[in-house]
Amino acid sequence: MSNIEQTLSIIKPDAVERDLQDQIKSEFLKKGFEIIKEKKIHISKEEAEKFYKVHETKPFYNDLCNYLSSGPIVVMALQKRNAVIDNRNLMGATNPKDADEGTLRKKYGISIDKNSVHGSDSIENAKIELDFFFKD
Ligand code: CMP
């Protein structure tokens, strides 16, 4: 029985701006993730709004969409056994100040907005988010 999964990872503008993408990618590889697909893009605010639609009623939605569209990002399809949960664990808590030692958000995150990485939160959302960026 195989539980090889794919999940979407985004290296956010704050991390790309600080040129951390290679360092963050090597953290994924060290943990056994394969980077199956990857592209560096700069999305529009409208695309960010579509991507984060699940958060549209939240008070932080507008800032979040402005932020994700503020500069280049790196989007990746990561693959491994239990990729969704393993990526969530590697990223750490949403707010870097609550994240455990050794997690990506603890190491690289600046604030709850500039938290360096996004990762799909379920297998179902991983499929939706991977399609969003990689369906051709
Ligand atoms: P991410 O995993 O990309 O999903 C939604 C993002 O909203 C989250 O990371 C945070 O960067 C951002 N955000 C801003 N404020 C909040 C908040 N109060 N709670 C959760 N996420 C927030």
Side-chain angles (χ1 to χ4, degrees):
M1 204 179 83
S2 162
N3 50 350
I4 297 290
E5 297 166 2
Q6 288 188 8
T7 191
L8 180 85
S9 172
I10 304 178
I11 303 177
K12 295 190 181 184
D14 66 274
V16 175
E17 189 178 27
R18 286 175 288 151
D19 212 12
L20 291 170
Q21 62 266 40
D22 287 344
Q23 220 167 311
I24 292 176
K25 279 193 272 177
S26 83
E27 303 243 16
F28 288 124
L29 297 174
K30 257 193 287 179
K31 292 283 183 184
F33 290 90
E34 276 182 79
I35 301 171
I36 300 293
K37 293 175 191 158
E38 175 187 348
K39 60 184 177 184
K40 187 176 180 182
I41 51 177
H42 189 162
I43 62 171
S44 65
K45 178 154 186 201
E46 290 68 32
E47 288 171 302
E49 286 170 346
K50 226 170 128 193
F51 178 73
Y52 275 133
K53 196 163 177 35
V54 48
H55 294 301
E56 73 182 328
T57 59
K58 310 270 173 61
F60 55 84
Y61 180 62
N62 189 50
D63 286 347
L64 176 61
C65 297
N66 280 331
Y67 173 59
L68 196 72
S69 57
S70 67
I73 58 175
V74 176
V75 294
M76 295 171 289
L78 301 180
Q79 179 171 291
K80 80 185 284 294
R81 199 169 288 269
N82 301 321
V84 173
I85 187 69
D86 285 3
N87 182 36
R88 302 286 294 175
N89 290 336
L90 178 57
M91 288 193 301
T94 305
N95 192 336
K97 73 174 167 42
D98 300 327
D100 289 341
E101 285 303 326
T103 61
L104 299 179
R105 284 167 168 165
K106 179 71 173 188
K107 283 188 185 171
Y108 305 115
I110 295 169
S111 65
I112 193 163
D113 302 298
K114 298 183 172 182
N115 62 357
S116 300
V117 282
H118 167 84
S120 311
D121 65 1
S122 65
I123 294 175
E124 190 192 4
N125 281 336
K127 291 196 175 83
I128 295 168
E129 294 185 352
L130 286 164
D131 269 3
F132 184 88
F133 285 111
F134 293 111
K135 197 162 191 156
D136 28 41

